[in-house]
Amino acid sequence: MYCDKENVNILTARLIETGIKDIVVSPGSRNAVLIHNFYEASKIDNSFRLHPVTDERSAAFFAIGIWIITHKPVAVCVTSGSALLNTLPAVAEAFYRQIPLVVISADRPQRWIGQLDGQTIPQPGALRPYTETFSFEKCDSKSCNRQYSMLRPLHINVPIEEPLFSFTTKELPRGAKSLFDFGECDDVFDPMQIAGVINNSELPAVVMGQYESGVIDELVALDRENKLLLLPEIISNQPGAERTATLEAQKAENIVLPTLVLHIGGNLVNKWLKLKLRRSNNLRVIRVDETNDAPDTFSHLERKVKCNERNFFKAIAPLLRYNENVEKFKAAIGSEPQASSPKEQIVVSLYDYIKKSDPSAMLFLGNSSVVRIAARLIESGEIPIYCNRGVNGIEGSVSVAAGCASVYDKNVYVIVGDLSFFYDVNSLWNSELNSNLRVVLLNDHGGAIFSKLDGLNNSAALDPYISARHNSNAHGIALSYGCDYYALANDKQLEDTLHSINMHNNNNKPIIIEYDTYLDNN
């Protein structure tokens, strides 16, 4: 039996019609009615899979991890008040990565806002500017049949009046509409005209940031045939990221820069190339994506093409010609840099191990120093690599990997720094996790990246206040959260430890492997 709240029943029916399968739920009394309905739907016709996560901040990132596997909208359901505010970091992350994260918040009667009533705050607009709030308070055709863009997060606020817990409705409403408009969103553009611009350019290139929809085969072929130069990021999941890393390592000041950039994908790790392109006096930029946005990342934006990236390259590929400058550019790039510290070697060793011994696995990178090390030292396009680069915050790294592992039947590895790990430790407070989640923790005992910023090492505030120096380790956390724990004495033990785990681990527990990088410097 479903609840007796009309708006909750209509919302439940619309979620089913939308095709949302996964709903991450956090506990609360006001949203208990919603959770009850979702559970009933999952039991009766297997409409939903519910994932309980207590910490709302972790829950919202956990939902992003599920999206990485399913590429379908994922909902997270929270109760009223501060619970909603805790989802904001993940909503911002989803906004910049064009992830359709649906935040469903229960709300209390508006008349009690500001009257010292518990967990009662102004919830409409609480997640701005990253998403608007759409209310399911009145169930007229306008409010309950509206459709939304699925390229961004969505906040649905559901006011629920007391009495709360009456479950007397036998069936959900019929004829509900999907929440999202799934229509085509490509602009009409002339492939001949775009191809002409590319063919007449001295050095046309594709600069590719974070991209989570797999390899674009046509683009890889164009690069191989020397028709377009591909300069991808490590988190683009396209082959060739070592070129960008090598250019940065060599500080190739005299190299000829691209004269035309097709800009696709999200955030960039490589700051050096971004700044070089911004300073160029001879650059044209065409941005390609499915949104209405037109980010001018390189300060030379000339045109925006609103189109799915894969469809774009399928359209122009047959029209492009060989360009000798593309071939010369690739030939001029030297050898890629090598690991120079045990910490860097851990990152390289983990990647090599996965590629060689666990090729169906996925790799998640923590922000800050970990993703920068990976961008310099490992290849792209061999195994799926992900990172929270929408906002570039340190929060949520393990939670996203945990969400991915909950719906993926292969191993999910995450390599993360200590501040990011401890900040997100509630990601392990989760009954759904098992040994396919493997956390490799690089414990610097503080934010090591801050000591590399020019001039900051002269500040007496660096260690105690800025880099947050600490003496914590993950052993006690592993015991508290029911994880298997392994401590590495040196970087050379990683592959042997992983091999031993795969051969002998039958505990079905999440795994934490900790390397104390502080020992390298003392």
Side-chain angles (χ1 to χ4, degrees), residues 203 252 255-260 272-273 276-277 279-280 282 329:
L203 180 57
I255 197 164
V256 176
L257 289 172
T259 55
L260 173 71
W272 179 84
L273 178 62
K276 288 288 289 184
L277 291 173
R279 297 189 195 109
S280 174
N282 181 30
F329 186 98

Side-chain angles (χ1 to χ4, degrees), residues 47-342:
S47 295
F48 302 129
R49 292 179 296 202
L50 302 190
H51 307 268
V53 181
T54 302
D55 184 320
E56 291 92 357
R57 184 177 66 189
S58 179
F61 279 108
F62 189 91
I64 290 177
I66 294 174
W67 173 86
I68 286 172
I69 295 297
T70 65
H71 270 261
K72 294 181 179 179
V74 180
V76 56
C77 177
V78 301
T79 198
S80 59
S82 58
L84 172 62
L85 303 181
N86 289 333
T87 68
L88 185 55
V91 170
E93 179 72 19
F95 176 85
Y96 287 110
R97 285 163 66 181
Q98 301 171 25
I99 295 173
L101 176 66
V102 181
V103 178
I104 302 170
S105 58
D107 200 357
R108 293 167 183 260
Q110 189 174 12
R111 64 182 178 276
W112 293 115
I113 294 175
Q115 306 306 314
L116 304 182
D117 210 43
Q119 283 291 73
T120 305
I121 65 172
Q123 292 184 192
L127 302 183
R128 286 179 178 167
Y130 308 107
T131 181
E132 296 181 53
T133 300
F134 302 99
S135 176
F136 260 69
E137 181 174 10
K138 297 178 180 179
C139 290
D140 54 38
S141 59
K142 182 178 180 181
S143 63
C144 284
N145 286 307
R146 181 172 176 177
Q147 290 188 307
Y148 316 103
S149 167
M150 65 172 295
L151 294 175
R152 297 295 195 204
L154 172 65
H155 175 206
I156 296 176
N157 195 53
V158 188
I160 302 174
E161 292 270 4
E162 296 181 5
L164 298 175
F165 310 124
S166 177
F167 309 119
T168 59
T169 304
K170 293 183 178 180
E171 293 183 347
L172 294 173
R174 299 182 183 276
K177 292 181 65 174
S178 169
L179 286 171
F180 295 113
D181 178 3
F182 292 95
E184 294 294 325
C185 63
D186 287 359
D187 274 350
V188 176
F189 72 96
D190 184 357
M192 289 286 292
Q193 191 271 335
I194 296 287
V197 172
I198 296 171
N199 288 332
N200 291 323
S201 298
E202 182 180 352
L203 180 57
V206 175
V207 176
M208 192 167 188
Q210 182 167 27
Y211 189 75
E212 297 166 284
S213 298
V215 174
I216 301 177
D217 294 331
E218 290 80 8
L219 178 53
V220 174
L222 289 170
D223 175 81
R224 184 176 60 247
E225 296 161 1
N226 295 315
K227 296 177 179 179
L228 269 176
L229 172 65
L230 178 56
L231 295 175
E233 286 281 2
I234 185 67
I235 51 176
S236 71
N237 290 305
Q238 316 295 309
E242 61 274 10
R243 294 176 190 163
T244 310
T246 302
L247 287 173
E248 181 177 24
Q250 294 176 344
K251 298 291 188 272
E253 300 297 333
N254 296 322
I255 197 164
V256 176
L257 289 172
T259 55
L260 173 71
V261 164
L262 300 174
H263 180 209
I264 62 176
N267 215 305
L268 301 165
V269 180
N270 190 301
K271 189 175 180 179
W272 179 84
L273 178 62
K274 178 169 63 178
L275 295 178
K276 288 288 289 184
L277 291 173
R278 284 179 181 175
R279 297 189 195 109
S280 174
N281 295 319
N282 181 30
L283 179 64
R284 305 170 68 186
V285 177
I286 299 174
R287 171 70 187 180
V288 181
D289 67 36
E290 293 183 88
T291 73
N292 291 320
D293 303 338
D296 193 7
T297 305
F298 309 113
S299 301
H300 293 282
L301 184 65
E302 185 175 278
R303 179 175 177 181
K304 165 67 188 290
V305 177
K306 183 180 177 183
C307 183
N308 174 274
E309 297 89 349
R310 199 177 299 274
N311 294 342
F312 176 84
F313 287 105
K314 280 183 179 179
I316 67 170
L319 307 172
L320 298 188
R321 300 194 299 261
Y322 164 80
N323 187 311
E324 64 176 354
N325 291 325
V326 172
E327 186 170 13
K328 289 178 180 178
F329 186 98
K330 290 192 286 188
I333 297 175
S335 59
E336 55 194 278
Q338 303 297 313
S340 59
S341 72

Side-chain angles (χ1 to χ4, degrees), residues 237-512:
N237 290 305
Q238 316 295 309
E242 61 274 10
R243 294 176 190 163
T244 310
T246 302
L247 287 173
E248 181 177 24
Q250 294 176 344
K251 298 291 188 272
E253 300 297 333
N254 296 322
I255 197 164
V256 176
L257 289 172
T259 55
L260 173 71
V261 164
L262 300 174
H263 180 209
I264 62 176
N267 215 305
L268 301 165
V269 180
N270 190 301
K271 189 175 180 179
W272 179 84
L273 178 62
K274 178 169 63 178
L275 295 178
K276 288 288 289 184
L277 291 173
R278 284 179 181 175
R279 297 189 195 109
S280 174
N281 295 319
N282 181 30
L283 179 64
R284 305 170 68 186
V285 177
I286 299 174
R287 171 70 187 180
V288 181
D289 67 36
E290 293 183 88
T291 73
N292 291 320
D293 303 338
D296 193 7
T297 305
F298 309 113
S299 301
H300 293 282
L301 184 65
E302 185 175 278
R303 179 175 177 181
K304 165 67 188 290
V305 177
K306 183 180 177 183
C307 183
N308 174 274
E309 297 89 349
R310 199 177 299 274
N311 294 342
F312 176 84
F313 287 105
K314 280 183 179 179
I316 67 170
L319 307 172
L320 298 188
R321 300 194 299 261
Y322 164 80
N323 187 311
E324 64 176 354
N325 291 325
V326 172
E327 186 170 13
K328 289 178 180 178
F329 186 98
K330 290 192 286 188
I333 297 175
S335 59
E336 55 194 278
Q338 303 297 313
S340 59
S341 72
K343 180 178 178 179
E344 293 181 345
Q345 188 57 53
I346 287 279
V347 177
V348 173
S349 295
L350 179 59
Y351 174 80
D352 288 344
Y353 172 84
I354 295 171
K355 188 170 67 169
K356 176 179 62 179
S357 303
D358 202 357
S360 60
M362 305 176 76
L363 175 59
F364 286 75
L365 303 173
N367 262 314
S368 200
S369 59
V370 171
V371 70
R372 288 173 171 82
I373 290 171
R376 290 200 313 272
L377 299 176
I378 66 179
E379 302 167 351
S380 59
E382 295 281 344
I383 59 174
I385 298 176
Y386 300 92
C387 181
N388 285 352
R389 291 301 288 184
V391 183
N392 303 356
I394 66 167
E395 68 273 86
S397 296
V398 183
S399 290
V400 170
C404 177
S406 73
V407 292
Y408 191 52
D409 61 357
K410 307 297 182 182
N411 289 328
V412 174
Y413 297 83
V414 53
I415 186 164
V416 66
D418 50 298
L419 295 190
S420 184
F421 173 81
F422 292 121
Y423 194 71
D424 192 29
V425 74
N426 275 351
S427 58
L428 302 173
W429 187 15
N430 191 312
S431 60
E432 291 197 347
L433 303 184
N434 56 49
S435 63
N436 76 324
L437 177 66
R438 289 138 183 243
V439 181
V440 178
L441 167 60
L442 303 180
N443 193 344
D444 288 320
H445 293 265
I449 196 169
F450 295 109
S451 64
K452 301 182 183 301
L453 301 178
D454 289 344
L456 189 54
N457 57 347
N458 296 321
S459 171
L462 176 59
D463 272 5
Y465 301 113
I466 299 171
S467 66
R469 182 63 61 195
H470 64 87
N471 294 311
S472 302
N473 64 52
H475 191 196
I477 288 170
L479 292 174
S480 297
Y481 286 96
C483 302
D484 281 341
Y485 176 82
Y486 302 83
L488 302 182
N490 58 65
D491 60 291
K492 298 176 180 60
Q493 290 185 337
L494 178 62
E495 289 201 35
D496 289 341
T497 300
L498 289 169
H499 179 72
S500 177
I501 289 169
N502 280 341
M503 292 294 294
H504 308 296
N505 184 284
N506 296 310
N507 292 335
N508 207 34
K509 298 178 180 178
I511 294 164
I512 300 174

